């Protein structure tokens, strides 16, 4: 039974940092990959960063120098460290896990970047 729960969102000032967490109900190494997506109003849900079961990471070009994806197998948690946040980073952020062709999604956490 796979459940993903995001946390760590909220209001943050431009230029500051925020850490998002995604708690998994199962061993994260059962997943072929995990990823963070974000979705703005009127926009599609876009990939931010992903990590494979082997630890290989990849990032969307826009945020690759500011965001870092990581995970902790002991706590079954996926993280997204967001640095130098900008107003355009304001979105709902979603955690996704994949087992072969099966995708699992969290409920999302709102990140608002504003002064």
């Amino acid at each position: 039974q796979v459940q993903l729960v995001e946390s760590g969102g909220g209001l943050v000032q431009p230029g500051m940092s925020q850490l998002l967490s995604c708690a998994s109900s199962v061993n994260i190494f059962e997943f072929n990959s995990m990823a963070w997506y974000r979705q703005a109003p009127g926009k599609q849900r876009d990939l931010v960063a992903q990590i494979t079961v082997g630890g290989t990471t990849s990032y969307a070009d826009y945020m690759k120098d500011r965001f870092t994806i990581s995970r902790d197998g002991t706590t079954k948690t996926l993280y997204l460290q967001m640095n130098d946040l900008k107003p355009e980073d304001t979105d709902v952020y979603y955690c996704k896990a994949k087992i072969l062709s099966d995708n699992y999604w969290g409920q999302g956490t709102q990140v608002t970047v504003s002064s």
Side-chain angles (χ1 to χ4, degrees):
Q1 200 84 28
V2 177
Q3 288 183 310
L4 303 172
V5 181
E6 301 96 335
S7 62
L11 178 63
V12 60
Q13 295 181 333
M16 301 302 291
S17 298
Q18 193 84 346
L19 178 67
L20 302 184
S21 299
C22 171
S24 173
S25 63
V26 301
N27 184 351
I28 62 174
F29 295 105
E30 293 183 15
F31 303 130
N32 296 115
S33 66
M34 300 186 75
W36 287 97
Y37 286 72
R38 70 184 190 182
Q39 187 171 26
K43 299 287 187 177
Q44 65 182 11
R45 189 172 295 183
D46 293 326
L47 177 67
V48 175
Q50 63 182 351
I51 184 169
T52 69
V53 66
T56 301
T57 60
S58 60
Y59 300 87
D61 288 343
Y62 182 76
M63 62 283 294
K64 64 180 181 181
D65 294 325
R66 298 188 294 120
F67 292 5
T68 302
I69 188 171
S70 63
R71 59 187 175 185
D72 188 330
T74 301
T75 60
K76 299 184 292 185
T77 304
L78 178 75
Y79 298 102
L80 182 68
Q81 177 65 56
M82 306 184 294
N83 299 318
D84 191 26
L85 284 164
K86 306 177 184 300
E88 53 263 40
D89 295 322
T90 295
D91 282 315
V92 177
Y93 286 74
Y94 296 89
C95 175
K96 190 196 81 172
K98 187 172 185 178
I99 304 177
L100 298 179
S101 296
D102 296 326
N103 293 316
Y104 303 90
W105 293 91
Q107 300 300 310
T109 185
Q110 175 71 50
V111 175
T112 302
V113 184
S114 176
S115 58

